């Protein structure tokens, strides 16, 4: 039993874990440089990775290269250059020009931090072409999408997170292969279902939980291959549509049915976990996987541990987001045939590389930032194969002495404030708590296993973008007097701003959003 250096709780490193660390340890000149056992428990390792992941905080700023307006996950206050996605991928943007000669007597992490502040970054994490989808992040192959995040291969989707291969879906979370779905989560291959979760292959239904291959059902739980059911009771086709019309005749009647369904839901047993076609797996929302331990929202994985939102992976551990990876460890946002990589952030398509930050399609690179299609680089400086294989072992040996080797990037190297990241959703901290934690780190000088201690502190962002100005505003109180029938809402509503009744912030209705509400009679 080991004790976590962050939270002081005990955690176990198994023999299977040790075998994995040995398997992915790099070899140079026939010498293996073993990756040591972790010093943090699985939760704290996850927290450390997630403080590098900003998904939904978007800012208006200028492209540092063209000075054109862009939407970025980086605020205008960051020190490093931020390029538009197009400019970042341009051939003349070669981050090797920022290369630094390694200082063997100084912390490699400090040297990476210096490089981070000068190498350009892509405006948002987008790994493939997108069309008319400026307000997205952690995404690829998108068309006409708005405020969707961690999303791939979608079209005309709005206000959704973690969705794939879907069309015209709104306010959804963890759905794939869906069309015309609204307010759904953990749902696969469904058509025109609303207010549902943990469903697959269902259609023309609302308020479903754990249903499969059902159509025209309302308020049902755990059904299979059913049609014309309400609250798990069978109806004739005529009776079903008669009841459905009553339920959805007004917003008040719909809300009444929703409350009935909530009570009905509490009385029905549920499956212990969401997932299918698994062998020897523990976690939640696991599909078509084998020998996976403590994994979540994972599909087509084998022999993986502590992986979340992960697909098509083999022999991986401690990964958050994406997949298509093999023999990888401590990864934040990596995939696209990622192979034999460890301690990387926002990097994809890389092989046999360590400590990369926002790099794409690189091989045999170490401690680099913002590179693409590069080989044998250290701190972005180009070396020959022979020079690289001679120098990297010396760097690792120095990192072994300082305790830096085998650990993910420390929090201070994150380009985001803790409050901008997913870490603050899973492990919420106030500014005061972050400052208190950082003050405690100062007291650990000389006692902490890793140096320098200041790099273990969380960042915090106090930047607030300018509040939007609107000429015509509909307050929350005024909204109560709008027609409940969506067909009576005029197009003019698109010219107004609305006040959120929870936060007081302004928001607008998008044209495609209004069209969706009308089509679905919502």
């Amino acid at each position: 039993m080991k004790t976590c250096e962050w939270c002081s709780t005990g955690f176990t490193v198994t023999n299977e874990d040790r075998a994995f660390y040995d398997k992915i340890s790099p070899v140079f000149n026939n010498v293996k440089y073993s990756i040591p056992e972790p010093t943090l428990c699985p939760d704290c390792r996850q927290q450390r990775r997630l403080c590098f992941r900003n998904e939904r905080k978007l800012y208006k700023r200028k492209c540092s290269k063209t000075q054109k307006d862009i939407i970025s996950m980086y605020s205008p206050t960051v020190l490093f250059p931020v390029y538009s996605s197009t400019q970042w991928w341009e051939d003349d943007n070669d981050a090797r020009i920022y290369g630094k000669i390694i200082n063997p007597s100084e912390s490699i992490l400090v040297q990476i931090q210096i490089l981070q502040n000068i190498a350009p970054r892509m405006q948002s994490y987008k790994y493939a072409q997108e069309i008319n989808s400026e307000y997205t992040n952690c995404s690829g192959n998108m068309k006409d999408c708005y405020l969707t995040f961690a999303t791939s291969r979608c079209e005309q989707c709005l206000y959704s997170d973690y969705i794939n291969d879907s069309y015209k879906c709104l306010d959804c979370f963890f759905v794939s292969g869906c069309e015309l779905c609204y307010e759904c989560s953990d749902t696969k291959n469904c058509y025109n279902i609303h207010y549902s979760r943990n469903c697959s292959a269902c259609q023309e239904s609302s308020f479903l939980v754990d249903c499969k291959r059902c159509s025209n059902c309302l308020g049902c739980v755990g059904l299979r291959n059913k049609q014309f059911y309400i609250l798990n009771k069978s109806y004739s086709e005529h009776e079903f549509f008669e009841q459905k019309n009553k339920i959805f005749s007004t917003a008040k009647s719909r809300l009444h049915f929703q409350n009935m369904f909530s009570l009905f839901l509490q009385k029905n047993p549920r499956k212990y976990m969401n997932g299918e076609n698994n062998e020897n797996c523990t976690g939640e929302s696991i599909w078509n996987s084998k020998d996976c331990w403590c994994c979540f929202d994972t599909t087509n994985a084998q022999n993986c541990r502590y992986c979340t939102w992960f697909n098509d992976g083999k022999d991986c551990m401690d990964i958050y987001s994406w997949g298509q990876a093999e023999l990888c460890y401590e990864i934040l946002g990596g995939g696209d045939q990622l192979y034999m990589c460890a301690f990387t952030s926002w990097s994809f398509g890389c092989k046999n590389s360590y400590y990369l930050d926002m790099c794409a399609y690189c091989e045999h690179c170490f401690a680099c930032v913002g590179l693409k299609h590069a080989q044998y680089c250290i701190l972005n400086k180009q070396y020959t194969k022979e020079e690289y294989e001679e120098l990297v072992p010396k760097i690792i040996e120095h990192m072994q002495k300082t305790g830096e080797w085998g650990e993910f990037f420390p929090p201070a190297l994150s380009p985001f404030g803790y409050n901008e990241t997913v870490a603050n959703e899973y492990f919420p901290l106030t500014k005061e708590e972050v400052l208190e934690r950082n003050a405690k780190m100062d007291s650990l000088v000389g006692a902490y296993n890793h140096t320098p201690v200041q790099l273990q502190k969380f960042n915090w962002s106090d930047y607030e973008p300018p509040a939007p100005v609107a000429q015509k505003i509909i307050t929350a109180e005024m909204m109560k007097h709008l027609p409940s029938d969506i067909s009576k809402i005029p197009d003019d509503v698109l010219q107004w701003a609305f006040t959120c009744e929870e936060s007081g912030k302004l928001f607008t209705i998008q044209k495609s959003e209004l069209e969706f509400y009308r089509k679905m009679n919502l």
Side-chain angles (χ1 to χ4, degrees), residues 390-419:
E390 179 182 357
L391 186 53
V392 169
K394 296 179 181 178
I395 298 172
I396 294 176
E397 289 169 1
H398 178 71
M399 295 178 73
Q400 289 173 331
K401 294 176 181 177
T402 63
E404 295 173 341
W405 174 243
E407 300 287 337
F408 189 74
F409 293 117
L413 268 63
S414 170
F416 307 109
Y418 189 88
N419 51 321

PDB file of all heavy atoms in Angstrom, residues 390-419:
ATOM      1  N   GLU A 390      21.623   9.395 -27.655  1.00  0.00           N
ATOM      2  CA  GLU A 390      22.676   9.593 -26.667  1.00  0.00           C
ATOM      3  C   GLU A 390      22.251  10.584 -25.588  1.00  0.00           C
ATOM      4  O   GLU A 390      22.578  10.413 -24.406  1.00  0.00           O
ATOM      5  CB  GLU A 390      23.947  10.106 -27.354  1.00  0.00           C
ATOM      6  CG  GLU A 390      25.089  10.360 -26.389  1.00  0.00           C
ATOM      7  CD  GLU A 390      26.327  10.926 -27.072  1.00  0.00           C
ATOM      8  OE1 GLU A 390      26.318  11.068 -28.316  1.00  0.00           O
ATOM      9  OE2 GLU A 390      27.303  11.246 -26.359  1.00  0.00           O
ATOM     10  N   LEU A 391      21.481  11.607 -25.977  1.00  0.00           N
ATOM     11  CA  LEU A 391      21.142  12.681 -25.050  1.00  0.00           C
ATOM     12  C   LEU A 391      19.938  12.346 -24.168  1.00  0.00           C
ATOM     13  O   LEU A 391      19.933  12.664 -22.969  1.00  0.00           O
ATOM     14  CB  LEU A 391      20.873  13.963 -25.837  1.00  0.00           C
ATOM     15  CG  LEU A 391      20.642  15.253 -25.040  1.00  0.00           C
ATOM     16  CD1 LEU A 391      21.779  15.499 -24.057  1.00  0.00           C
ATOM     17  CD2 LEU A 391      20.506  16.442 -25.996  1.00  0.00           C
ATOM     18  N   VAL A 392      18.905  11.706 -24.728  1.00  0.00           N
ATOM     19  CA  VAL A 392      17.696  11.430 -23.955  1.00  0.00           C
ATOM     20  C   VAL A 392      17.980  10.595 -22.717  1.00  0.00           C
ATOM     21  O   VAL A 392      17.462  10.905 -21.626  1.00  0.00           O
ATOM     22  CB  VAL A 392      16.616  10.774 -24.845  1.00  0.00           C
ATOM     23  CG1 VAL A 392      15.471  10.230 -23.993  1.00  0.00           C
ATOM     24  CG2 VAL A 392      16.076  11.781 -25.849  1.00  0.00           C
ATOM     25  N   PRO A 393      18.800   9.536 -22.786  1.00  0.00           N
ATOM     26  CA  PRO A 393      19.099   8.792 -21.547  1.00  0.00           C
ATOM     27  C   PRO A 393      19.722   9.655 -20.454  1.00  0.00           C
ATOM     28  O   PRO A 393      19.421   9.471 -19.268  1.00  0.00           O
ATOM     29  CB  PRO A 393      20.075   7.707 -22.019  1.00  0.00           C
ATOM     30  CG  PRO A 393      19.738   7.506 -23.458  1.00  0.00           C
ATOM     31  CD  PRO A 393      19.372   8.858 -23.969  1.00  0.00           C
ATOM     32  N   LYS A 394      20.541  10.610 -20.822  1.00  0.00           N
ATOM     33  CA  LYS A 394      21.136  11.500 -19.832  1.00  0.00           C
ATOM     34  C   LYS A 394      20.064  12.375 -19.181  1.00  0.00           C
ATOM     35  O   LYS A 394      20.117  12.640 -17.969  1.00  0.00           O
ATOM     36  CB  LYS A 394      22.207  12.373 -20.490  1.00  0.00           C
ATOM     37  CG  LYS A 394      23.402  11.582 -21.026  1.00  0.00           C
ATOM     38  CD  LYS A 394      24.410  12.511 -21.686  1.00  0.00           C
ATOM     39  CE  LYS A 394      25.611  11.713 -22.251  1.00  0.00           C
ATOM     40  NZ  LYS A 394      26.574  12.597 -22.931  1.00  0.00           N
ATOM     41  N   ILE A 395      19.091  12.819 -19.989  1.00  0.00           N
ATOM     42  CA  ILE A 395      18.007  13.633 -19.442  1.00  0.00           C
ATOM     43  C   ILE A 395      17.175  12.801 -18.467  1.00  0.00           C
ATOM     44  O   ILE A 395      16.831  13.256 -17.371  1.00  0.00           O
ATOM     45  CB  ILE A 395      17.117  14.175 -20.577  1.00  0.00           C
ATOM     46  CG1 ILE A 395      17.929  15.085 -21.507  1.00  0.00           C
ATOM     47  CG2 ILE A 395      15.916  14.936 -20.004  1.00  0.00           C
ATOM     48  CD1 ILE A 395      17.179  15.519 -22.751  1.00  0.00           C
ATOM     49  N   ILE A 396      16.860  11.571 -18.864  1.00  0.00           N
ATOM     50  CA  ILE A 396      16.060  10.709 -17.996  1.00  0.00           C
ATOM     51  C   ILE A 396      16.801  10.425 -16.688  1.00  0.00           C
ATOM     52  O   ILE A 396      16.199  10.443 -15.603  1.00  0.00           O
ATOM     53  CB  ILE A 396      15.712   9.395 -18.722  1.00  0.00           C
ATOM     54  CG1 ILE A 396      14.791   9.681 -19.917  1.00  0.00           C
ATOM     55  CG2 ILE A 396      15.038   8.414 -17.762  1.00  0.00           C
ATOM     56  CD1 ILE A 396      14.471   8.469 -20.755  1.00  0.00           C
ATOM     57  N   GLU A 397      18.088  10.193 -16.772  1.00  0.00           N
ATOM     58  CA  GLU A 397      18.870   9.933 -15.557  1.00  0.00           C
ATOM     59  C   GLU A 397      18.830  11.130 -14.608  1.00  0.00           C
ATOM     60  O   GLU A 397      18.743  10.969 -13.383  1.00  0.00           O
ATOM     61  CB  GLU A 397      20.312   9.593 -15.939  1.00  0.00           C
ATOM     62  CG  GLU A 397      20.445   8.221 -16.602  1.00  0.00           C
ATOM     63  CD  GLU A 397      21.823   8.003 -17.213  1.00  0.00           C
ATOM     64  OE1 GLU A 397      22.679   8.917 -17.110  1.00  0.00           O
ATOM     65  OE2 GLU A 397      22.043   6.933 -17.814  1.00  0.00           O
ATOM     66  N   HIS A 398      18.890  12.339 -15.180  1.00  0.00           N
ATOM     67  CA  HIS A 398      18.778  13.537 -14.342  1.00  0.00           C
ATOM     68  C   HIS A 398      17.379  13.635 -13.736  1.00  0.00           C
ATOM     69  O   HIS A 398      17.217  13.967 -12.546  1.00  0.00           O
ATOM     70  CB  HIS A 398      19.083  14.781 -15.169  1.00  0.00           C
ATOM     71  CG  HIS A 398      18.950  16.064 -14.397  1.00  0.00           C
ATOM     72  ND1 HIS A 398      19.823  16.442 -13.416  1.00  0.00           N
ATOM     73  CD2 HIS A 398      18.011  17.054 -14.475  1.00  0.00           C
ATOM     74  CE1 HIS A 398      19.459  17.607 -12.909  1.00  0.00           C
ATOM     75  NE2 HIS A 398      18.353  18.003 -13.540  1.00  0.00           N
ATOM     76  N   MET A 399      16.352  13.314 -14.523  1.00  0.00           N
ATOM     77  CA  MET A 399      14.979  13.357 -14.025  1.00  0.00           C
ATOM     78  C   MET A 399      14.762  12.297 -12.947  1.00  0.00           C
ATOM     79  O   MET A 399      13.973  12.509 -12.018  1.00  0.00           O
ATOM     80  CB  MET A 399      13.989  13.151 -15.180  1.00  0.00           C
ATOM     81  CG  MET A 399      14.001  14.265 -16.221  1.00  0.00           C
ATOM     82  SD  MET A 399      12.856  13.964 -17.589  1.00  0.00           S
ATOM     83  CE  MET A 399      11.274  14.263 -16.785  1.00  0.00           C
ATOM     84  N   GLN A 400      15.418  11.187 -13.052  1.00  0.00           N
ATOM     85  CA  GLN A 400      15.319  10.163 -12.006  1.00  0.00           C
ATOM     86  C   GLN A 400      15.870  10.681 -10.677  1.00  0.00           C
ATOM     87  O   GLN A 400      15.318  10.414  -9.611  1.00  0.00           O
ATOM     88  CB  GLN A 400      16.080   8.906 -12.440  1.00  0.00           C
ATOM     89  CG  GLN A 400      15.394   8.125 -13.564  1.00  0.00           C
ATOM     90  CD  GLN A 400      16.246   6.984 -14.084  1.00  0.00           C
ATOM     91  OE1 GLN A 400      17.484   7.046 -14.045  1.00  0.00           O
ATOM     92  NE2 GLN A 400      15.609   5.939 -14.602  1.00  0.00           N
ATOM     93  N   LYS A 401      16.932  11.449 -10.746  1.00  0.00           N
ATOM     94  CA  LYS A 401      17.529  11.993  -9.528  1.00  0.00           C
ATOM     95  C   LYS A 401      16.628  13.045  -8.888  1.00  0.00           C
ATOM     96  O   LYS A 401      16.549  13.134  -7.662  1.00  0.00           O
ATOM     97  CB  LYS A 401      18.901  12.600  -9.845  1.00  0.00           C
ATOM     98  CG  LYS A 401      19.946  11.581 -10.296  1.00  0.00           C
ATOM     99  CD  LYS A 401      21.242  12.268 -10.673  1.00  0.00           C
ATOM    100  CE  LYS A 401      22.280  11.268 -11.157  1.00  0.00           C
ATOM    101  NZ  LYS A 401      23.548  11.938 -11.593  1.00  0.00           N
ATOM    102  N   THR A 402      15.952  13.833  -9.706  1.00  0.00           N
ATOM    103  CA  THR A 402      15.088  14.892  -9.169  1.00  0.00           C
ATOM    104  C   THR A 402      13.690  14.384  -8.831  1.00  0.00           C
ATOM    105  O   THR A 402      12.906  15.112  -8.206  1.00  0.00           O
ATOM    106  CB  THR A 402      14.958  16.044 -10.174  1.00  0.00           C
ATOM    107  OG1 THR A 402      14.315  15.565 -11.377  1.00  0.00           O
ATOM    108  CG2 THR A 402      16.319  16.625 -10.529  1.00  0.00           C
ATOM    109  N   GLY A 403      13.349  13.172  -9.263  1.00  0.00           N
ATOM    110  CA  GLY A 403      12.007  12.639  -9.032  1.00  0.00           C
ATOM    111  C   GLY A 403      10.997  13.058 -10.078  1.00  0.00           C
ATOM    112  O   GLY A 403       9.803  12.813  -9.920  1.00  0.00           O
ATOM    113  N   GLU A 404      11.429  13.689 -11.154  1.00  0.00           N
ATOM    114  CA  GLU A 404      10.511  14.142 -12.197  1.00  0.00           C
ATOM    115  C   GLU A 404      10.139  13.022 -13.172  1.00  0.00           C
ATOM    116  O   GLU A 404       9.061  13.051 -13.771  1.00  0.00           O
ATOM    117  CB  GLU A 404      11.136  15.306 -12.972  1.00  0.00           C
ATOM    118  CG  GLU A 404      11.340  16.553 -12.145  1.00  0.00           C
ATOM    119  CD  GLU A 404      12.116  17.632 -12.878  1.00  0.00           C
ATOM    120  OE1 GLU A 404      12.803  17.309 -13.880  1.00  0.00           O
ATOM    121  OE2 GLU A 404      12.042  18.796 -12.458  1.00  0.00           O
ATOM    122  N   TRP A 405      11.022  12.059 -13.362  1.00  0.00           N
ATOM    123  CA  TRP A 405      10.772  10.996 -14.331  1.00  0.00           C
ATOM    124  C   TRP A 405       9.611  10.109 -13.862  1.00  0.00           C
ATOM    125  O   TRP A 405       9.533   9.707 -12.716  1.00  0.00           O
ATOM    126  CB  TRP A 405      12.029  10.155 -14.519  1.00  0.00           C
ATOM    127  CG  TRP A 405      11.835   8.948 -15.400  1.00  0.00           C
ATOM    128  CD1 TRP A 405      11.960   7.646 -15.043  1.00  0.00           C
ATOM    129  CD2 TRP A 405      11.495   8.950 -16.792  1.00  0.00           C
ATOM    130  NE1 TRP A 405      11.721   6.827 -16.112  1.00  0.00           N
ATOM    131  CE2 TRP A 405      11.423   7.600 -17.205  1.00  0.00           C
ATOM    132  CE3 TRP A 405      11.226   9.956 -17.715  1.00  0.00           C
ATOM    133  CZ2 TRP A 405      11.113   7.228 -18.511  1.00  0.00           C
ATOM    134  CZ3 TRP A 405      10.915   9.592 -19.023  1.00  0.00           C
ATOM    135  CH2 TRP A 405      10.858   8.247 -19.406  1.00  0.00           C
ATOM    136  N   GLY A 406       8.701   9.840 -14.784  1.00  0.00           N
ATOM    137  CA  GLY A 406       7.575   8.972 -14.483  1.00  0.00           C
ATOM    138  C   GLY A 406       6.345   9.686 -13.998  1.00  0.00           C
ATOM    139  O   GLY A 406       5.367   9.045 -13.622  1.00  0.00           O
ATOM    140  N   GLU A 407       6.362  11.026 -13.989  1.00  0.00           N
ATOM    141  CA  GLU A 407       5.203  11.814 -13.556  1.00  0.00           C
ATOM    142  C   GLU A 407       4.697  12.677 -14.709  1.00  0.00           C
ATOM    143  O   GLU A 407       5.483  13.189 -15.514  1.00  0.00           O
ATOM    144  CB  GLU A 407       5.574  12.711 -12.374  1.00  0.00           C
ATOM    145  CG  GLU A 407       6.056  11.972 -11.140  1.00  0.00           C
ATOM    146  CD  GLU A 407       4.939  11.254 -10.411  1.00  0.00           C
ATOM    147  OE1 GLU A 407       3.765  11.657 -10.578  1.00  0.00           O
ATOM    148  OE2 GLU A 407       5.232  10.295  -9.672  1.00  0.00           O
ATOM    149  N   PHE A 408       3.366  12.837 -14.780  1.00  0.00           N
ATOM    150  CA  PHE A 408       2.761  13.736 -15.760  1.00  0.00           C
ATOM    151  C   PHE A 408       3.199  15.177 -15.470  1.00  0.00           C
ATOM    152  O   PHE A 408       3.713  15.492 -14.398  1.00  0.00           O
ATOM    153  CB  PHE A 408       1.242  13.613 -15.667  1.00  0.00           C
ATOM    154  CG  PHE A 408       0.494  14.327 -16.767  1.00  0.00           C
ATOM    155  CD1 PHE A 408       0.465  13.817 -18.047  1.00  0.00           C
ATOM    156  CD2 PHE A 408      -0.184  15.501 -16.508  1.00  0.00           C
ATOM    157  CE1 PHE A 408      -0.236  14.469 -19.061  1.00  0.00           C
ATOM    158  CE2 PHE A 408      -0.891  16.160 -17.493  1.00  0.00           C
ATOM    159  CZ  PHE A 408      -0.908  15.641 -18.784  1.00  0.00           C
ATOM    160  N   PHE A 409       2.976  16.059 -16.447  1.00  0.00           N
ATOM    161  CA  PHE A 409       3.288  17.476 -16.246  1.00  0.00           C
ATOM    162  C   PHE A 409       2.701  17.973 -14.927  1.00  0.00           C
ATOM    163  O   PHE A 409       1.539  17.703 -14.621  1.00  0.00           O
ATOM    164  CB  PHE A 409       2.710  18.330 -17.373  1.00  0.00           C
ATOM    165  CG  PHE A 409       3.330  18.099 -18.720  1.00  0.00           C
ATOM    166  CD1 PHE A 409       2.563  17.613 -19.772  1.00  0.00           C
ATOM    167  CD2 PHE A 409       4.654  18.378 -18.950  1.00  0.00           C
ATOM    168  CE1 PHE A 409       3.115  17.413 -21.029  1.00  0.00           C
ATOM    169  CE2 PHE A 409       5.225  18.190 -20.200  1.00  0.00           C
ATOM    170  CZ  PHE A 409       4.449  17.694 -21.238  1.00  0.00           C
ATOM    171  N   PRO A 410       3.438  18.738 -14.146  1.00  0.00           N
ATOM    172  CA  PRO A 410       2.882  19.311 -12.911  1.00  0.00           C
ATOM    173  C   PRO A 410       1.874  20.400 -13.238  1.00  0.00           C
ATOM    174  O   PRO A 410       1.904  21.005 -14.311  1.00  0.00           O
ATOM    175  CB  PRO A 410       4.115  19.871 -12.200  1.00  0.00           C
ATOM    176  CG  PRO A 410       5.085  20.152 -13.294  1.00  0.00           C
ATOM    177  CD  PRO A 410       4.859  19.106 -14.338  1.00  0.00           C
ATOM    178  N   PRO A 411       0.957  20.718 -12.323  1.00  0.00           N
ATOM    179  CA  PRO A 411      -0.152  21.639 -12.608  1.00  0.00           C
ATOM    180  C   PRO A 411       0.258  23.020 -13.114  1.00  0.00           C
ATOM    181  O   PRO A 411      -0.448  23.619 -13.923  1.00  0.00           O
ATOM    182  CB  PRO A 411      -0.869  21.741 -11.260  1.00  0.00           C
ATOM    183  CG  PRO A 411      -0.555  20.470 -10.558  1.00  0.00           C
ATOM    184  CD  PRO A 411       0.842  20.124 -10.977  1.00  0.00           C
ATOM    185  N   ALA A 412       1.390  23.539 -12.629  1.00  0.00           N
ATOM    186  CA  ALA A 412       1.779  24.899 -13.028  1.00  0.00           C
ATOM    187  C   ALA A 412       2.069  25.014 -14.517  1.00  0.00           C
ATOM    188  O   ALA A 412       2.067  26.112 -15.065  1.00  0.00           O
ATOM    189  CB  ALA A 412       2.993  25.356 -12.226  1.00  0.00           C
ATOM    190  N   LEU A 413       2.313  23.887 -15.186  1.00  0.00           N
ATOM    191  CA  LEU A 413       2.579  23.924 -16.624  1.00  0.00           C
ATOM    192  C   LEU A 413       1.304  23.966 -17.453  1.00  0.00           C
ATOM    193  O   LEU A 413       1.355  24.078 -18.677  1.00  0.00           O
ATOM    194  CB  LEU A 413       3.428  22.724 -17.047  1.00  0.00           C
ATOM    195  CG  LEU A 413       4.954  22.964 -17.044  1.00  0.00           C
ATOM    196  CD1 LEU A 413       5.461  23.264 -15.642  1.00  0.00           C
ATOM    197  CD2 LEU A 413       5.690  21.763 -17.630  1.00  0.00           C
ATOM    198  N   SER A 414       0.159  23.879 -16.798  1.00  0.00           N
ATOM    199  CA  SER A 414      -1.098  23.970 -17.528  1.00  0.00           C
ATOM    200  C   SER A 414      -1.274  25.379 -18.095  1.00  0.00           C
ATOM    201  O   SER A 414      -1.007  26.373 -17.400  1.00  0.00           O
ATOM    202  CB  SER A 414      -2.274  23.647 -16.610  1.00  0.00           C
ATOM    203  OG  SER A 414      -3.494  23.959 -17.260  1.00  0.00           O
ATOM    204  N   PRO A 415      -1.741  25.502 -19.332  1.00  0.00           N
ATOM    205  CA  PRO A 415      -1.983  26.833 -19.905  1.00  0.00           C
ATOM    206  C   PRO A 415      -3.285  27.463 -19.418  1.00  0.00           C
ATOM    207  O   PRO A 415      -3.637  28.555 -19.862  1.00  0.00           O
ATOM    208  CB  PRO A 415      -2.046  26.553 -21.415  1.00  0.00           C
ATOM    209  CG  PRO A 415      -2.548  25.150 -21.512  1.00  0.00           C
ATOM    210  CD  PRO A 415      -1.980  24.434 -20.317  1.00  0.00           C
ATOM    211  N   PHE A 416      -3.985  26.778 -18.506  1.00  0.00           N
ATOM    212  CA  PHE A 416      -5.290  27.256 -18.052  1.00  0.00           C
ATOM    213  C   PHE A 416      -5.311  27.446 -16.539  1.00  0.00           C
ATOM    214  O   PHE A 416      -4.541  26.822 -15.806  1.00  0.00           O
ATOM    215  CB  PHE A 416      -6.389  26.247 -18.422  1.00  0.00           C
ATOM    216  CG  PHE A 416      -6.407  25.868 -19.863  1.00  0.00           C
ATOM    217  CD1 PHE A 416      -6.013  24.597 -20.263  1.00  0.00           C
ATOM    218  CD2 PHE A 416      -6.803  26.767 -20.830  1.00  0.00           C
ATOM    219  CE1 PHE A 416      -6.026  24.231 -21.596  1.00  0.00           C
ATOM    220  CE2 PHE A 416      -6.827  26.426 -22.172  1.00  0.00           C
ATOM    221  CZ  PHE A 416      -6.434  25.149 -22.559  1.00  0.00           C
ATOM    222  N   GLY A 417      -6.225  28.303 -16.101  1.00  0.00           N
ATOM    223  CA  GLY A 417      -6.533  28.364 -14.686  1.00  0.00           C
ATOM    224  C   GLY A 417      -7.343  27.137 -14.291  1.00  0.00           C
ATOM    225  O   GLY A 417      -8.114  26.601 -15.095  1.00  0.00           O
ATOM    226  N   TYR A 418      -7.179  26.701 -13.068  1.00  0.00           N
ATOM    227  CA  TYR A 418      -7.912  25.522 -12.606  1.00  0.00           C
ATOM    228  C   TYR A 418      -9.409  25.689 -12.828  1.00  0.00           C
ATOM    229  O   TYR A 418     -10.111  24.744 -13.199  1.00  0.00           O
ATOM    230  CB  TYR A 418      -7.617  25.295 -11.117  1.00  0.00           C
ATOM    231  CG  TYR A 418      -8.137  23.984 -10.574  1.00  0.00           C
ATOM    232  CD1 TYR A 418      -7.366  22.833 -10.643  1.00  0.00           C
ATOM    233  CD2 TYR A 418      -9.396  23.905  -9.982  1.00  0.00           C
ATOM    234  CE1 TYR A 418      -7.849  21.620 -10.146  1.00  0.00           C
ATOM    235  CE2 TYR A 418      -9.883  22.706  -9.483  1.00  0.00           C
ATOM    236  CZ  TYR A 418      -9.106  21.563  -9.567  1.00  0.00           C
ATOM    237  OH  TYR A 418      -9.574  20.363  -9.090  1.00  0.00           O
ATOM    238  N   ASN A 419      -9.902  26.897 -12.625  1.00  0.00           N
ATOM    239  CA  ASN A 419     -11.332  27.170 -12.773  1.00  0.00           C
ATOM    240  C   ASN A 419     -11.801  27.172 -14.218  1.00  0.00           C
ATOM    241  O   ASN A 419     -13.010  27.249 -14.479  1.00  0.00           O
ATOM    242  CB  ASN A 419     -11.688  28.504 -12.114  1.00  0.00           C
ATOM    243  CG  ASN A 419     -10.788  29.646 -12.569  1.00  0.00           C
ATOM    244  OD1 ASN A 419      -9.585  29.474 -12.746  1.00  0.00           O
ATOM    245  ND2 ASN A 419     -11.358  30.822 -12.756  1.00  0.00           N
TER     246      ASN A 419
END
